[in-house]
Every structure is written in C-alpha cells, then in structure tokens.
C-alpha cells in the first residue's frame, strides 16, 4: 500500500504515522524525544524512529514509504532542510533533511511544527474549504500559521505568523524575545497558569483549573480569564486587520476550555472591530494529531512537486 512517513517532533515526545494517499493513518506510533541526552542523541533518535517506521511499512504494508515529512519546533529553514535552532532540543544548524534522506533513501520534506499543524487544520481540519485562514495555537507560547490557497505562508525569512510577539500592552510583562507586553506573556496557557497560581496562592493551579473556576462563576477566576481574553482579542484584531482571514482557527491547550473561551473571545473581537470583516472563529479540529497529519501532507506535496517538475 503506497504511503509516506509523517513525523512530528516535540520538546519531549514524537508522534508519527504512516499515511496513505487519501490521508488515512495506516499506522501510528509515539516515542520519547530523549532531549535529556543532548542534541546529538535527539537527532539520532529521530533518524532511528524514521527507519523503524520505514521497516514497519515494508513488513506490514508490503512496500517501503515513498517519502517522508518531518515537523520540528524552533527556527526552521524549510527550503534548505535545516533545523536552525530549537531551545528546548538544544540543537543548532542540523541538516535534518539530508540526514533523513541518507537514512531512508527517499525524498524528505522538513517543516516548522506550527505551520505544519496549520497546513493540516487548513486542508483537512477546521479550515477546510477556507481560502484564507489564520491558525493560532494557545499553548506554552502563542504562534500562528497563515493559510493562503491551501499553502502556509512562511514569509521572506521564515518568521511569518509570529502573532505571539505582537505587543498588546507596552507596559506589560517582559517577554523572552526582548519586548514587553507581548501577546503570549498575557494570553497563552502558560500566562493564564501564572496569573491563576498568583491569584490563588497555589503554585500547582493551572489554566485548566482557572477555566473550571470560571464555569463556577468564581470572581477571581473570571477576572484572570477576562484579562487573558481581552489581550488575546487585541492581538487577534491586529492580525485580522493585516491579514483579513475568512476563518480564525484557535487551538492548543487553552482552546480545550471550549465555549468558556470561545463565547467571550468572539464577543471581545467583535467589540473591537470597526471596518474589518469578522472572520469565523472556530476551535481547531485535529488536536495533537495536526502536526503529524501536516507532516504527511508535506511529504505528499513534495512528491507531487517532483512529479510535476
């Protein structure tokens, strides 16, 4: 059965699949990244995992994978196939595409994890049928993927979509990027966790606890939550003013709160727009499989490009 290898590399774990021509997941697997052993060990773990996936296809599907797609975090030069930098994995300038191509003997596509997840959400997830969309996952930080006509816009230098570093409150908290009041310092899941832990005096309290308290009409939780929603709405209105997306897809851990997030967020965005057109604001559909599914799409796209060339 014709298939590709899809691999989504995270800070602590990797999700992988063998993906058929119609996008069907023919086999799924997970493995620890092993970052505690250092950057070189992480790279070798990725290569070994990919080789094991190829072997599984040969044994159980009757043939070897015809290509591979890999999504990685951090700064990525997708055109050159280089994983430039990832703080949580400790690597710099890893020629990952070349290493995987040598190990697997097939074409390999390399992509940025958020943009790759956005590709999947846009084509086969919540943005399906939308010609212009913005995918914003709310996790430890906040990133973004700009979808245009079925592809993801990377920008001239590979930094397009970094919505988490739009400054929404110039007098706000310091951000790791060197600015103050960036969106992700105020509206990420990590930011809500920090604010709720401070409000309760409980260092173990997190964003999910805050959401539950909001549902119980806890006044302190409502204040923390609304502060985050207001900051998020301000950042999103800036983004939609620049990009004019038809669909705004919100994912990541904070989106798991469902309408506890989406009801006030839609209201806050609508309240702030003037001449702009209000996009459809929807939850992501693919969960933590988005990166893996997107990596499969990258692999199939690579094959179709090579055939047409």
């Amino acid at each position: 059965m014709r298939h590709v290898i899809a691999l989504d590399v995270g800070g602590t774990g990797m999700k992988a699949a063998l993906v058929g021509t119609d996008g069907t997941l023919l086999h799924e697997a997970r493995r620890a990244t092993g970052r505690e052993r250092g950057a070189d060990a992480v790279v070798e773990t990725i290569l070994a995992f990919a080789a094991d996936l190829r072997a599984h296809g040969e044994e159980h599907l009757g043939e070897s994978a015809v290509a591979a797609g890999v999504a990685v975090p951090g700064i990525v030069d997708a055109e050159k196939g280089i994983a430039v930098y990832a703080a949580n994995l400790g690597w710099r300038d890893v020629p990952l595409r070349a290493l995987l191509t040598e190990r697997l003997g097939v074409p390999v596509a390399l992509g940025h994890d958020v943009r790759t997840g956005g590709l999947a959400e846009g084509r086969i997830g919540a943005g399906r049928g939308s010609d212009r969309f913005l995918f914003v996952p709310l996790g430890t930080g906040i990133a973004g993927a700009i979808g245009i006509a079925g592809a993801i816009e990377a920008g001239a230098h590979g930094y397009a979509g970094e919505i988490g570093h739009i400054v929404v409150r110039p007098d706000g908290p310091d951000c790791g990027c060197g600015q103050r009041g960036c969106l992700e310092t105020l509206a990420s899941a990590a930011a809500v966790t920090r604010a709720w832990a401070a409000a309760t005096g409980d260092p173990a309290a997190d964003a999910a606890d805050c959401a539950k308290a909001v549902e119980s009409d806890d006044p302190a939780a409502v204040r923390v939550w609304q502060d985050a929603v207001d900051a998020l709405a301000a950042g999103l209105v800036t983004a939609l003013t620049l990009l004019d997306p038809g669909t705004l897809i919100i994912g990541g851990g904070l989106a798991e709160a469902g309408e506890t997030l989406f009801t006030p967020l839609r209201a806050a965005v609508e309240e702030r727009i003037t001449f702009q057109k209000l996009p459809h604001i929807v939850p992501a559909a693919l969960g933590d499989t988005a990166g893996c599914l997107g990596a499969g799409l990258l692999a199939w796209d690579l094959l179709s490009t090579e055939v047409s060339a």
Side-chain angles (χ1 to χ4, degrees):
M1 186 176 293
R2 201 161 185 259
H3 63 276
V4 297
I5 293 167
L7 188 56
D8 179 21
V9 179
T12 57
M14 297 183 287
K15 296 178 284 290
L18 299 179
V19 185
T21 53
D22 60 354
T24 303
L25 299 180
L26 304 171
H27 169 68
E28 294 180 74
R30 297 189 181 225
R31 189 170 294 184
T33 305
R35 64 179 179 177
E36 69 281 352
R37 293 183 289 119
D40 290 343
V42 170
V43 173
E44 182 52 43
T45 299
I46 293 169
L47 298 177
F49 196 14
D52 289 347
L53 291 162
R54 179 188 60 185
H56 183 94
E58 291 171 343
E59 181 177 352
H60 296 279
L61 301 177
E63 63 177 288
S64 183
V66 292
V70 184
V72 297
I75 300 171
V76 181
D77 187 333
E79 189 172 328
K80 294 181 180 177
I82 296 173
V84 178
Y85 174 69
N88 56 0
L89 294 176
W91 65 32
R92 285 185 181 273
D93 298 321
V94 178
L96 199 53
R97 183 174 65 196
L99 293 171
L100 281 162
T101 299
E102 181 180 358
R103 182 70 65 98
L104 299 174
V106 297
V108 176
L110 183 68
H112 179 271
D113 57 353
V114 173
R115 289 197 286 270
T116 302
L119 179 68
E121 283 289 353
R123 282 203 204 165
I124 60 177
R128 190 171 189 169
S130 179
D131 189 51
R132 297 286 192 279
F133 69 88
L134 178 62
F135 169 57
V136 181
L138 310 173
T140 303
I142 296 178
I146 302 165
I148 303 173
I152 300 297
E153 173 57 47
H157 309 96
Y159 295 165
E162 289 291 346
I163 184 176
H165 297 289
I166 290 175
V167 174
V168 293
R169 293 182 188 159
D171 60 346
D174 290 335
C175 181
C177 77
Q179 301 184 111
R180 290 187 66 187
C182 286
L183 180 60
E184 72 173 39
T185 69
L186 298 158
S188 63
V192 175
T193 290
R194 285 192 299 271
W196 184 232
T200 61
D202 179 3
D206 62 13
D209 297 327
C210 185
K212 289 174 186 172
V214 170
E215 291 162 13
S216 301
D217 294 321
D218 181 299
V222 170
R223 283 194 298 274
V224 167
W225 197 256
Q226 195 59 50
D227 280 349
V229 168
D230 288 345
L232 181 57
L236 292 176
V237 169
T238 297
L240 67 88
T241 301
L242 292 170
L243 302 171
D244 188 26
T247 304
L248 183 53
I249 306 167
I250 308 296
L254 216 56
E256 291 175 9
E259 286 306 312
T260 301
L261 174 67
F262 283 93
T263 296
L265 179 61
R266 291 186 185 108
V269 170
E270 187 168 7
E271 184 179 282
R272 283 167 173 76
I273 62 171
T274 53
F275 66 90
Q276 305 94 333
K277 293 293 185 182
L278 186 66
H280 298 291
I281 302 176
V282 299
L286 303 176
D288 71 351
T289 65
C292 196
L293 290 166
L297 292 173
L298 287 179
W300 287 118
D301 284 356
L302 179 62
L303 285 177
S304 65
T305 300
E306 289 188 345
V307 168
S308 62

